Amino acid sequence: MPIQNKSIAIVGGGPGGLTLARLLQQQELNVKVYERDLNKDVRVQGATLDLHEESGLEALRKAGLIQQFYELYRPEAGKLRITDKYGQIKLDDHDSGEDNNRPEIDRGPLRKLLLESLEPGTVVWDSHFLRMEKENNGWRLHFSNNNTAYVDIVIAADGANSKIRPWLTSISPVYSGITIVEGNLYDAAENAPELFKLVNGGKVFAFGDEQSLILSQKGDGSLAFYTGCKTAEDWVTKSRIDFSDKDQVLQWFRGAFGTWGPLWQQLFNGEKISFVPRPQYHFPFNQQWKTQNNLTMLGDAAHRMPPYAGEGVNMAMQDALELAECLCSNEYLTSEQAIHAYESRMLIRAAAVTQITLESTAMLHSTDPVGWMTRLFEG
Ligand SMILES: Cc1cc2nc3c(=O)[nH]c(=O)nc-3n(C[C@H](O)[C@H](O)[C@H](O)COP(=O)(O)OP(=O)(O)OC[C@H]3O[C@@H](n4cnc5c(N)ncnc54)[C@H](O)[C@@H]3O)c2cc1C
């Protein structure tokens, strides 16, 4: 194995980084995860995630965690309703019987499951990576709390705005034309009773005027949601909206979704609510970089993409699996060969999935998303 006795730093404790840490620890390798969150209890937001057989679930299976996953997944969470902009249901799979092809799990429990699978002390919290430089045959990492660490190999798993990526490539992301505003409404049964009923424990995809609104219920009783609108790339700054001010966001929503039914404004009820604007980017299909012998990346850091094909987490976990398999294989004599084998396959797979994702993004923001989804459902 080309990385025997080497120290490995994974920067970023998202699903990709934590899955990789688990897989490497199974091979008794010396691995630490440097995560910027202050501790494991920092609230994790975001929608429910469906894991796919050949990627996310396969990684969990190889990590020996599939049984724990099935204890935590939410069978009802995958049920989908598609509505028009007035909330009229156009497609409904709530009565279609149990379908656990793509089982769903909330982000919080998935992170907890992965964290609990690691040896104590593996994750070094409050480690916001700032920069690194070459030292001997490895890297010296610097964090915002002034700590530093020397390691032999660095894996960037620090997400869509990766700070490590520039050490591998200067290829910039391409704006997809869509900006998301992500929100989370707590106590949805009380604050948004009609929407809570409509979501019915699962998901709602609502469409109108080439815009989208996606809602999913989480196990803690909250509703995660995100709007999708065609905007200029710099809309977030140009709009001058203070996204920490609910009233300002509501005012924007009333304008941008002005022709939609009043039902959706329930999303702004309640005091405990937060919003994050996220312009959606992807990387070019033909991205490539020169393989290094002690640095690589996975997940969104390597191939960010909009969420409209539900592939991001699955790709990050499949990257982790394939990278672990390459690094631990006796087929490769050097770490550079192992990393090259991983990167070549990962880049081809990511380009194909990015292509599918962009097609889906375009169709969901077209003039007939319901027709497209109906045809998709019908195979
Ligand atoms: C609104 C929305 C909905 C989505 N829905 C889905 C879906 O349904 N299905 C799906 O598969 N995907 C979905 N995605 C995409 C998915 O969230 C990502 O693709 C996935 O989380 C990528 O995993 P990752 O481990 O690469 O990165 P991340 O999950 O982003 O994890 C990166 C980690 O690195 C840490 N970090 C970042 N910077 C630093 C730093 N400088 N130093 C130290 N630590 C750092 C972060 O705190 C984080 O813990 C969605 C995304 C969004 C925005």
Side-chain angles (χ1 to χ4, degrees), residues 49-192:
L49 303 160
D50 60 314
L51 296 194
H52 305 171
E53 192 55 47
E54 67 291 351
S55 45
L57 290 176
E58 181 64 6
L60 287 179
R61 205 170 282 120
K62 291 272 167 57
L65 298 172
I66 200 74
Q67 199 179 331
Q68 292 90 321
F69 168 82
Y70 278 110
E71 283 161 18
L72 293 171
Y73 91 111
R74 294 183 40 234
E76 73 290 0
K79 295 289 180 188
L80 175 65
R81 281 184 167 150
I82 295 173
T83 78
D84 64 14
K85 62 183 182 177
Y86 305 107
Q88 294 297 316
I89 298 173
K90 299 290 175 187
L91 265 176
D92 190 352
D93 77 350
H94 277 257
D95 300 323
S96 63
E98 188 107 328
D99 171 12
N100 289 336
N101 252 348
R102 294 189 158 189
E104 302 258 351
I105 188 165
D106 288 356
R107 252 168 226 266
L110 177 62
R111 196 185 209 194
K112 188 163 179 280
L113 162 71
L114 291 167
L115 282 172
E116 287 177 355
S117 75
L118 300 175
E119 289 163 16
T122 303
V123 180
V124 188
W125 300 101
D126 189 17
S127 298
H128 192 147
F129 170 91
L130 292 181
R131 61 190 166 82
M132 62 188 188
E133 69 257 347
K134 288 201 163 149
E135 190 175 305
N136 302 323
N137 292 324
W139 296 95
R140 169 72 55 187
L141 277 59
H142 298 261
F143 303 99
S144 64
N145 59 7
N146 291 326
N147 285 347
T148 75
Y150 174 81
V151 294
D152 297 314
I153 296 180
V154 174
I155 317 284
D158 54 339
N161 297 307
S162 170
K163 284 216 174 78
I164 300 181
R165 185 179 160 94
W167 271 267
L168 272 160
T169 172
S170 58
I171 298 170
S172 308
V174 181
Y175 180 55
S176 71
I178 301 288
T179 290
I180 280 172
V181 175
E182 188 183 358
N184 205 70
L185 174 69
Y186 292 87
D187 304 321
E190 198 177 310
N191 288 321

Side-chain angles (χ1 to χ4, degrees), residues 6-24:
K6 304 244 190 226
S7 55
I8 302 161
I10 298 169
V11 179
L18 294 177
T19 303
L20 179 65
R22 162 72 179 179
L23 291 162
L24 295 180

